[in-house]
């Protein structure tokens, strides 16, 4: 195997890596501080499109993790960037929260339910039958179907919640049209994140707790990958996959010296 170049920029997942069920993972604060002190470009990534980067900055600050809003990259921001590149100044019918609608407004999109160019499905805690019915009819009338991320379930204190991927499957069943998913494991999210910070895949690393999203996306984007065992993937699960991370660490605390 060819020797990899030194890591000059970092991407890291948030849930399961820096925090777990609203509690910071031990060592996460030291890792973020080391990144900021080093001056190396970095982004914290999340497939969750509910919150704006400013919202997430505030949520992380409350648990002692000082991540500036400009160092947070969400599937909503990646979706807005994709649409601005592909179809600037377009229109969309959106099922989602402020994180998604704000990102689309900021790239000049008009949000409408009258002949939109796109139907965009994001994360929300209030999926309604009325909104899904409207999405089905608009797609049947020619609107193109985009979804922020493929996650089928999301966590809550009471247990799993249906998430974007599950609702997308319902709309697909009703229309026969599959969405284009922007978030992980699509390497597009990683590439747009790297472009945002001026990073290059051959000198960048991705840290995650999921083999099927974080590690796969980093691998397909050509990055060095670090799997941490503080989230959804246990060490015994790694061999279930036909690919491997570059490194496996117990937690983010073990990566401080890599920066």
């Amino acid at each position: 195997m060819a020797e990899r170049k030194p890591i000059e920029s970092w991407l890291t997942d948030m849930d399961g890596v820096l925090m777990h069920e609203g509690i910071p993972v031990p060592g996460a604060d030291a890792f973020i501080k080391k990144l900021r002190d080093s001056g190396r470009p970095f982004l914290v990534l999340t497939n969750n499109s509910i919150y704006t980067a400013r919202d997430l900055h505030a949520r992380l600050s409350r648990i002692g993790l000082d991540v500036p809003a400009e160092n947070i990259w969400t599937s909503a921001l990646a979706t807005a960037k994709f649409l601005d590149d592909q179809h600037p100044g377009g229109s969309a019918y959106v099922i989602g929260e402020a994180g998604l609608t704000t990102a689309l407004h900021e790239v000049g999109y008009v949000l409408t339910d009258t002949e939109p160019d796109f139907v965009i499905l994001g994360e929300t805690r209030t999926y309604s039958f009325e909104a899904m019915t409207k999405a089905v009819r608009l797609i049947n009338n020619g609107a193109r179907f985009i979804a922020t991320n493929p996650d089928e379930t999301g966590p809550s204190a009471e247990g799993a919640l249906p998430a974007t991927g599950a609702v997308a499957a319902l709309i697909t069943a009703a229309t026969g049209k599959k969405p284009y998913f922007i978030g992980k494991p699509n390497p597009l999210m990683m590439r747009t994140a790297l472009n945002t910070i001026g990073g290059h895949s051959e000198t960048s690393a991705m840290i995650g707790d999921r083999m099927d999203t974080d590690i796969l996306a980093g691998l397909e984007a050509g990055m060095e990958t670090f799997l941490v065992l503080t989230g959804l993937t246990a060490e015994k699960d790694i061999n279930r996959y036909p690919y491997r991370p570059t490194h496996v660490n117990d937690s983010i605390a073990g990566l401080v010296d890599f920066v």
Side-chain angles (χ1 to χ4, degrees):
M1 183 182 295
E3 185 176 347
R4 295 194 66 98
K5 295 181 179 180
I7 299 170
E8 296 178 0
S9 53
W10 292 83
L11 304 181
T12 177
D13 186 40
M14 186 170 64
D15 293 308
V17 178
L18 301 178
M19 57 186 286
H20 185 68
E21 296 183 353
I23 299 172
V25 171
D29 54 345
F31 181 77
I32 294 297
K33 184 178 187 304
K34 185 77 175 290
L35 276 179
R36 297 192 66 184
D37 289 347
S38 74
R40 296 189 186 281
F42 76 96
L43 285 177
V44 174
L45 273 59
T46 177
N47 260 4
N48 192 322
S49 64
I50 290 178
Y51 304 106
T52 66
R54 288 179 64 189
D55 294 335
L56 291 172
H57 160 70
R59 289 165 68 90
L60 289 168
S61 293
R62 283 196 293 270
I63 62 171
L65 300 179
D66 188 12
V67 182
E70 58 267 26
N71 291 103
I72 296 173
W73 189 247
T74 70
S75 63
L77 292 170
T79 298
K81 177 72 170 72
F82 171 79
L83 290 170
D84 190 38
D85 289 342
Q86 291 275 309
H87 192 94
S91 61
Y93 175 68
V94 176
I95 300 176
E97 301 283 351
L100 181 55
T101 56
T102 300
L104 291 167
H105 277 307
E106 287 179 349
V107 297
Y109 256 62
V110 173
L111 306 189
T112 179
D113 61 1
T114 303
E115 298 183 354
D117 298 311
F118 297 92
V119 166
I120 305 175
L121 176 65
E123 206 73 64
T124 176
R125 293 292 183 259
T126 57
Y127 288 115
S128 76
F129 185 77
E130 180 183 1
M132 288 185 278
T133 299
K134 186 167 289 187
V136 166
R137 292 172 179 169
L138 291 171
I139 292 167
N140 283 338
N141 286 335
R144 286 155 284 181
F145 188 16
I146 299 284
T148 57
N149 62 291
D151 301 65
E152 294 174 346
T153 60
S156 79
E158 294 77 28
L161 294 171
T164 307
V167 179
L170 182 154
I171 295 173
T172 294
T175 61
K177 302 288 178 63
K178 293 182 178 180
Y180 182 60
F181 290 108
I182 302 295
K184 301 173 292 182
N186 188 345
L188 174 73
M189 184 163 172
M190 320 300 280
R191 295 188 185 282
T192 55
L194 288 175
N195 288 342
T196 298
I197 59 174
H200 301 279
S201 58
E202 62 182 1
T203 55
S204 299
M206 174 65 197
I207 309 167
D209 70 308
R210 292 186 59 157
M211 288 288 290
D212 57 346
T213 55
D214 307 317
I215 301 306
L216 180 59
L219 173 71
E220 291 188 345
M223 301 167 64
E224 193 163 348
T225 56
F226 291 80
L227 176 72
V228 294
L229 304 176
T230 48
L232 291 178
T233 303
E235 191 165 16
K236 62 181 175 56
D237 299 327
I238 297 172
N239 287 334
R240 292 173 39 218
Y241 296 89
Y243 50 87
R244 291 186 61 84
T246 317
H247 310 274
V248 179
N249 292 80
D250 289 336
S251 77
I252 193 78
L255 303 187
V256 175
D257 290 341
F258 280 85
V259 178

